Amino acid sequence: MPRYDARRIESKWQSYWDNHRTFVTSNEPQEGAQGKLYVLDMFPYPSGDGLHVGHPEGQTATDIVCRYSRMKEKHVLHPMGWDAFGLPAEQYAIQTGTHPRETTQRNIDTFRRQEKMLGFSYDWTREFSTTDEDYYRWTQWIFLQLYDTWYDADFEWTGPDGLSRAGKGRPISELPIPSGVTSEGDVAVRRYQDEHRLAYQLDAPVNWCPALGTVLANEEVTAEGKSDRGNHPVERRQLRQWMLRITSYAERLIDELENLDWSESIKLLQRNWIGKSLGAEVDFYVGDVTSTESQIMEFGPWKAARAEVGFPEHPGDLVLRVYTTRPDTLYGATYMVVAPEHPIVDHITTEEQRVKVETYRDIVSRKSDLDRTDLAKEKTGVFTGAHAMNPVNGEPIPIWIADYVLMSYGTGAIMAVPGHDERDLEFARTFDLPITAVVMPPDTDHDEPIGFVGEGTAINSGEYDGLPTAEFKQKITENLAAGGLGQLATNYRLRDWLFSRQRYWGEPFPIWHELDDEGKPTGLTRPVAADKLPVTLPDMEDFKPKGTPDPPLSWAPDEWLYATAEDGTRLKRETNSMPQWAGSCWYYLRFADNKNSDAFIDPAVEKYWLPVDLYIGGAEHAVLHLLYSRFWHKVLFDRGHVSTPEPFQKLVNQGMILGENNEKMSKSRGNVVNPDDVVSQYGADSLRLYEMFMGPLEQVKPWQMSGVEGVYRFLGRVWRMIVDERADDVTLSAAVQEVDLTDEQQRVLHKTIKAVTEDIDKLSFNTAISRMMEFTNVFTQEDVRPKFAMEQLVLLLSPFAPHLAEELWEVLGHAETLAYNPWPEYDESMLIEDEVEVPVQINGKVRAKIRVPVDAKPQAMQEIAESSDEVQKQIEGKQVVKVIAVPGRMVNFVVKG
RNA sequence: GGCCGAGUGGCGGAAUUGGCAGACGCAUCGGACUUAAAAUCCGAAGUUCCGAAAGGAGCGUGCGGGUUCGAGUCCCGCCUCGGCUACCA
């Protein structure tokens, strides 16, 4: 008695697909293919915990789209691989004394087993891991592209996509070298080029965790300023780091979101992250800080000189340059604040204030970014003793240092307008600094201008009084520019990307440092030749951090670490490694051509498969991964290596699956659902179907084990609708016969085909499943079930529950897989019913039901309604004011009395 | 604090975009089959009030207003929950 036996069916069909290479995809389209479709899941990190139920959520969705699209004769690319470098593997390795290569391999094996167990139609011949040498060879190669590129912001050009744009990443050899630099010689030219590369080095503050003995990425530091792993304190240190100049692409990263098929909220998230703001840079004269009188005397001539020479590129030591989005509040600037690290502090601090200033700077320098922002409630700062001259009215105003001004944004200095900025107001109140109102709020009930941060009308602003904010901004910016005192400026919150990590388990940089005669780095670098890639990770037993910021690779064997160039220069390798993001920045390209040993991807293959048509994954990657990938892709685009400006045309974020208690799943809450357990109890088809039936893909939704039971029962019903459960073998039920469908059955079938098809197109899988349940509820009640209808249902169900569908397809007499069988089609004419029941409302309340011809005109509907006894009873003796009839929908009588 | 998203039965969720609120599933209750149970099959069910019953009347999509013949859906004002972000001048 063959009951629905998921275990037997699933292993049978998984081997079938493997043995028949059912889902192996050629880069040559099959004959008659209806175009290509590249469907991608976000790159999983193979953690030691194995798959969690969030993985199959997005992956089932993409699998449904792929299986459906193949039946629609699309040429489908659907790959899977592993993002396997990274800190968790390394930490685990250190704790257990196992090499990360081993644990990573083990984790990958677990993940692969679990993915296969779920019956996803991946082309496994395209699988790779970011830790494979012939993968990271090309990660290094792309890094060298970044190294070899500078951004020409003014370059106008038309790309292979046919669109014109300004700004292009160009080969460093095309960088114009100023004659002053050329005359200084070769080394000066090289240093000048190095300053302009998209991959460059910088002394940058990093998150140093003494307990872990490593530097952490911002994402690895908790909101409390502790390490994500182990909860150890984290402090700041200045270290020489590799940076990627993503800020050059900020404008294009915003603009080119426009044509992407992404949700508005994700686009907004990216725009906010990039954080473009428009404002002005304004120069405040400082000069001789020891005497305010002489400052006032010097101010006039300085201003006059500026009117002559204009606004300089660098303000110089005696001028303080600020960035503001509100140049219209310039008259309200009563003091200035510079970041404690600002270089001008050394020039302007007076003798009396020096000790206080240095003490403050010292305290701040030892705080992490997070400590600094943590102190947000209490404003701190110190007066430098110096004053600057307000360029609009020549008033001397005091210059303070405070950690609420960040060196990394704008110019690292602000003009403080306490009257109209919350932070400045709080600071001014703390330190008793003057507050001036210069903006009148527009509505009169809001009569207190102090603390008003919106737009209004200018007051106390000399000749500008009475101007609306917007107009004032424009006018004063023009005037400042004319006087050489300011200029329009754009700023981004986005920072350049800190790209190096002091870790072992990552891609080595393909970079040599030149050494001088004493073996010290000269600061000059050279790339590893492309034909020498990859720079393989040296085999090291000891990769445990030593409590200093030296990366583990710095004690790699000398053969790896040192070399002599052909010109005799001694070279030392870069010993930092790349962050985990590196490998996931371009993996979607490699899937299209993972065996290529001549190029990261063949240009023709790239042109054929890219961009990714559908990309599904969690919203946690809405900014970082997606922004980094887009950046790399654009650099490759500019350099002519890819043909599309964007990698991911359509993006969908799946909603998080919560535990049964409506809380986020976590080990500590004990509400984690393990896919292995669900599959062993109900089978993969039930897990897949349940995850899709839970609710809309993009919505957050709680797990319910009883819901899995429900879809499992549904699959059992489908099984019994087609299979004779009382026979000894799996045979067709006697009720399934080669008969024509009745009109009613036709209608149900075609309605189901239409609904399921449209729902899949909309990624509305939960409703698609409920349609198939309705179909099943109708047909299980029939004593004779037309075989054709059963076949059609099996085809509709196959993307969702592919194992069961294949088994039933076989029972229905088909020798071959249904994976490439044409998708059922519906006939619109079959859907039409002659008559429909519509409600009759009296004053908007349903009082009766009538049957009308589907195509009945409003007038006819009204007449039918009026002839009904029930309606007569309701409107009797009342005055009918108006009748609204919507064809095929409803009739509404508006009555009085 | 800022931005984004969401509030519909006991629960997960539907609702052709302004037209019968609660599809489908879970849980619940009743029945059939069975010696019994499991499994399966059939059926009931938003809620309050009236009625012995068939049935009838009212109320119902977080709260308060509004637009409309008609609002879960549109507009205005709030409340609650979730996510992201956090001194960006």
Side-chain angles (χ1 to χ4, degrees):
Chain A
M1 42 170 245
R3 296 255 282 262
Y4 166 45
D5 181 355
R7 190 181 298 243
R8 178 186 67 79
I9 294 173
E10 288 172 7
S11 62
K12 169 179 167 185
W13 288 99
Q14 282 162 19
S15 345
Y16 176 96
W17 297 325
D18 264 351
N19 297 338
H20 291 76
R21 299 169 62 82
T22 305
F23 302 113
V24 173
T25 306
S26 154
N27 281 344
E28 301 297 323
Q30 315 109 288
E31 218 162 301
Q34 304 290 309
K36 69 93 182 178
L37 191 79
Y38 185 177
V39 180
L40 185 65
D41 298 297
M42 282 189 189
F43 215 21
Y45 175 77
S47 76
D49 298 333
L51 229 53
H52 60 79
V53 290
H55 288 110
E57 188 190 14
Q59 291 168 351
T60 303
T62 53
D63 197 54
I64 290 167
V65 172
C66 287
R67 288 176 177 272
Y68 162 75
S69 299
R70 287 190 199 98
M71 296 170 82
K72 287 271 213 175
E73 289 165 55
K74 283 262 169 66
H75 188 209
V76 173
L77 178 59
H78 190 39
M80 177 47 68
W82 321 106
D83 183 17
F85 273 130
L87 191 65
E90 186 166 341
Q91 280 303 118
Y92 184 78
I94 291 165
Q95 278 159 23
T96 61
T98 333
H99 198 279
R101 194 183 300 110
E102 282 174 42
T103 54
T104 298
Q105 194 50 53
R106 205 154 58 215
N107 294 348
I108 288 175
D109 291 342
T110 303
F111 264 65
R112 188 190 303 105
R113 173 188 64 75
Q114 290 184 304
E115 296 284 2
K116 290 205 168 192
M117 156 188 100
L118 293 170
F120 296 129
S121 61
Y122 295 122
D123 174 358
W124 286 102
T125 66
R126 293 172 185 265
E127 176 193 2
F128 61 80
S129 162
T130 51
T131 54
D132 295 345
E133 286 180 11
D134 57 1
Y135 180 77
Y136 72 71
R137 167 187 178 182
W138 297 107
T139 309
Q140 292 171 339
W141 181 86
I142 294 172
F143 174 81
L144 291 180
Q145 297 301 307
L146 289 148
Y147 179 80
D148 185 58
T149 302
W150 67 288
Y151 195 73
D152 185 348
D154 302 319
F155 194 86
E156 296 199 8
W157 60 296
T158 303
D161 59 339
L163 295 177
S164 299
R165 48 174 70 74
K168 186 181 188 194
R170 300 174 60 192
I172 199 75
S173 58
E174 293 175 12
L175 175 70
I177 312 289
S179 55
V181 174
T182 315
S183 64
E184 281 177 50
D186 205 31
V187 169
V189 170
R190 286 178 65 189
R191 289 191 195 280
Y192 183 82
Q193 287 178 326
D194 286 349
E195 280 170 25
H196 288 82
R197 297 178 189 276
L198 293 183
Y200 64 100
Q201 293 183 87
L202 186 76
D203 281 309
V206 296
N207 303 303
W208 168 249
C209 178
L212 288 176
T214 182
V215 167
L216 299 173
N218 285 333
E219 314 84 57
E220 292 153 357
V221 181
T222 65
E224 289 78 41
K226 300 284 177 68
S227 65
D228 198 32
R229 301 203 137 234
N231 207 35
H232 305 295
V234 173
E235 58 187 52
R236 322 209 81 201
R237 283 223 187 166
Q238 291 280 332
L239 285 178
R240 194 143 180 88
Q241 300 289 321
W242 281 95
M243 307 290 291
L244 296 187
R245 209 179 297 281
I246 190 172
T247 50
S248 296
Y249 281 82
E251 197 71 43
R252 276 169 61 192
L253 287 168
I254 293 177
D255 291 348
E256 294 175 12
L257 278 174
E258 191 71 28
N259 298 320
L260 296 180
D261 191 4
W262 295 17
S263 75
E264 263 320 301
S265 60
I266 293 286
K267 287 186 183 181
L268 197 65
L269 221 53
Q270 290 223 345
R271 282 193 204 102
N272 290 346
W273 189 267
I274 297 167
K276 181 178 179 175
S277 86
L278 272 170
E281 286 182 353
V282 184
D283 279 352
F284 285 63
Y285 182 70
V286 182
D288 177 8
V289 296
T290 55
S291 148
T292 313
E293 290 79 46
S294 61
Q295 276 184 307
I296 293 169
M297 290 204 351
E298 291 158 9
F299 176 63
W302 173 79
K303 203 169 163 181
R306 272 300 181 85
E308 289 296 314
V309 301
F311 192 74
E313 199 188 334
H314 298 289
D317 294 343
L318 301 178
V319 172
L320 187 52
R321 178 166 293 177
V322 303
Y323 171 74
T324 177
T325 55
R326 292 295 299 268
D328 62 295
T329 59
L330 209 40
Y331 284 85
T334 54
Y335 65 100
M336 310 197 67
V337 185
V338 299
E341 307 90 336
H342 199 292
I344 202 170
V345 177
D346 293 327
H347 301 287
I348 62 172
T349 305
T350 58
E351 281 312 314
E352 311 84 85
Q353 295 300 106
R354 179 137 315 195
V355 174
K356 276 191 186 170
V357 166
E358 286 310 320
T359 310
Y360 185 75
R361 291 178 91 183
D362 198 45
I363 293 167
V364 169
S365 73
R366 273 182 279 121
K367 287 183 194 165
S368 71
D369 252 359
L370 293 141
D371 282 335
R372 270 173 79 157
T373 54
D374 243 22
L375 286 182
K377 299 134 210 161
E378 282 274 306
K379 288 272 182 292
T380 60
V382 175
F383 179 42
T384 61
H387 290 76
M389 311 298 291
N390 189 330
V392 290
N393 56 14
E395 294 277 335
I397 56 175
I399 305 172
W400 286 63
I401 63 172
D403 65 359
Y404 82 94
V405 172
L406 308 173
M407 192 57 220
S408 51
Y409 185 77
T411 61
I414 61 157
M415 61 177 209
V417 184
H420 306 286
D421 181 280
E422 272 179 54
R423 296 150 301 183
D424 296 346
L425 183 60
E426 195 192 327
F427 191 84
R429 286 187 170 147
T430 306
F431 295 102
D432 207 16
L433 291 158
I435 300 165
T436 309
V438 290
V439 183
M440 201 60 191
D443 55 285
T444 41
D445 359 308
H446 204 290
D447 52 349
E448 176 54 57
I450 300 284
F452 174 71
V453 297
E455 305 213 334
T457 312
I459 53 170
N460 299 326
S461 298
E463 56 187 292
Y464 299 98
D465 277 354
L467 282 182
T469 300
E471 211 177 303
F472 189 173
K473 269 190 195 176
Q474 198 197 338
K475 207 157 202 171
I476 194 163
T477 308
E478 282 166 16
N479 292 348
L480 287 167
L485 299 169
Q487 67 174 11
L488 268 177
T490 304
N491 258 298
Y492 302 93
R493 309 169 86 92
L494 183 69
R495 304 294 146 82
D496 277 344
W497 174 12
L498 197 158
F499 193 68
S500 38
R501 300 289 185 272
Q502 290 67 39
R503 299 194 207 139
Y504 172 69
W505 196 232
E507 299 87 348
F509 280 81
I511 290 289
W512 291 108
H513 292 274
E514 295 186 4
L515 301 178
D516 61 19
D517 297 341
E518 291 166 15
K520 293 219 175 79
T522 60
L524 293 169
T525 54
R526 38 178 95 175
V528 172
D531 61 358
K532 293 283 194 313
L533 297 177
V535 177
T536 54
L537 202 51
D539 214 350
M540 292 167 65
E541 284 307 310
D542 175 23
F543 43 84
K544 194 177 168 188
K546 298 210 187 305
T548 64
D550 298 320
L553 289 179
S554 65
W555 59 86
D558 283 357
E559 313 86 84
W560 186 86
L561 213 47
Y562 295 99
T564 305
E566 279 177 23
D567 62 8
T569 311
R570 287 288 291 162
L571 302 171
K572 184 184 181 190
R573 282 200 198 272
E574 170 63 55
T575 55
N576 282 299
S577 60
M578 298 189 201
Q580 201 186 339
W581 306 108
S584 61
C585 261
W586 73 282
Y587 73 108
Y588 57 92
L589 291 166
R590 191 63 181 174
F591 275 139
D593 200 15
N594 67 328
K595 303 285 194 297
N596 195 330
S597 53
D598 300 325
F600 75 113
I601 185 173
D602 178 83
V605 171
E606 185 278 326
K607 217 171 156 54
Y608 179 69
W609 283 117
L610 272 287
V612 173
D613 297 287
L614 176 64
Y615 194 30
I616 297 187
E620 67 274 18
H621 294 119
V623 278
L624 298 175
H625 159 63
L626 284 167
L627 207 57
Y628 294 155
S629 264
R630 293 180 62 221
F631 164 51
W632 278 35
H633 197 88
K634 285 181 190 304
V635 175
L636 292 170
F637 176 73
D638 288 3
R639 294 298 304 267
H641 298 303
V642 298
S643 58
T644 63
E646 287 284 340
F648 312 117
Q649 186 55 39
K650 177 170 175 144
L651 171 75
V652 175
N653 285 118
Q654 73 208 45
M656 204 194 326
I657 296 179
L658 305 174
E660 297 225 37
N661 56 356
N662 248 294
E663 288 173 26
K664 213 166 165 165
M665 277 192 196
S666 70
K667 275 192 216 158
S668 58
R669 291 191 178 90
N671 60 353
V672 176
V673 177
N674 182 344
D676 277 345
D677 298 343
V678 180
V679 171
S680 67
Q681 200 175 347
Y682 299 100
D685 282 336
S686 290
L687 176 68
R688 294 169 55 117
L689 202 64
Y690 174 63
E691 293 220 11
M692 295 300 99
F693 187 60
M694 288 173 83
L697 182 62
E698 297 185 67
Q699 195 168 298
V700 179
K701 43 211 176 289
W703 186 272
Q704 285 186 335
M705 220 27 124
S706 57
V708 186
E709 183 85 39
V711 294
Y712 173 71
R713 282 207 284 255
F714 163 66
L715 292 179
R717 270 163 77 79
V718 174
W719 175 260
R720 286 187 295 278
M721 179 167 73
I722 294 170
V723 174
D724 183 352
E725 243 191 343
R726 276 163 306 186
D728 292 331
D729 302 314
V730 178
T731 49
L732 207 53
S733 159
V736 178
Q737 296 171 20
E738 301 259 12
V739 293
D740 289 337
L741 282 75
T742 65
D743 286 354
E744 183 53 29
Q745 288 173 339
Q746 286 281 17
R747 199 151 40 237
V748 171
L749 173 63
H750 286 262
K751 219 171 75 182
T752 306
I753 296 172
K754 180 179 158 83
V756 171
T757 305
E758 290 177 352
D759 284 347
I760 294 176
D761 286 334
K762 287 185 295 189
L763 307 183
S764 177
F765 305 117
N766 54 331
T767 51
I769 294 165
S770 69
R771 299 312 180 128
M772 291 187 277
M773 288 173 168
E774 283 176 290
F775 175 98
T776 307
N777 289 345
V778 170
F779 276 87
T780 45
Q781 303 208 359
E782 305 278 358
D783 296 329
V784 175
R785 310 200 263 268
K787 190 175 166 206
F788 177 73
M790 297 302 101
E791 288 175 334
Q792 297 283 289
L793 177 81
V794 165
L795 293 171
L796 292 180
L797 184 62
S798 67
F800 298 82
H803 310 89
L804 173 64
E806 291 273 23
E807 182 74 8
L808 292 176
W809 190 242
E810 191 180 64
V811 172
L812 285 160
H814 301 272
E816 293 222 338
T817 173
L818 50 61
Y820 295 93
N821 195 85
W823 185 253
E825 285 183 26
Y826 62 91
D827 183 345
E828 201 72 55
S829 68
M830 295 290 188
L831 302 171
I832 296 169
E833 287 176 86
D834 303 337
E835 273 197 338
V836 284
E837 192 186 62
V838 297
V840 180
Q841 303 179 340
I842 311 293
N843 288 341
K845 293 210 195 307
V846 180
R847 296 299 176 184
K849 303 259 169 103
I850 54 170
R851 287 199 70 85
V852 297
V854 170
D855 52 356
K857 300 260 169 4
Q859 185 60 34
M861 289 175 72
Q862 180 180 342
E863 280 162 19
I864 296 165
E866 279 167 346
S867 69
S868 134
D869 293 345
E870 186 59 35
V871 174
Q872 274 304 322
K873 215 167 74 191
Q874 291 284 341
I875 60 176
E876 198 168 40
K878 292 173 183 156
Q879 186 198 350
V880 177
V881 183
K882 195 174 175 183
V883 180
I884 291 111
V886 182
R889 278 291 153 71
M890 46 71 69
V891 184
N892 188 15
F893 289 84
V894 185
V895 299
K896 254 182 12 194

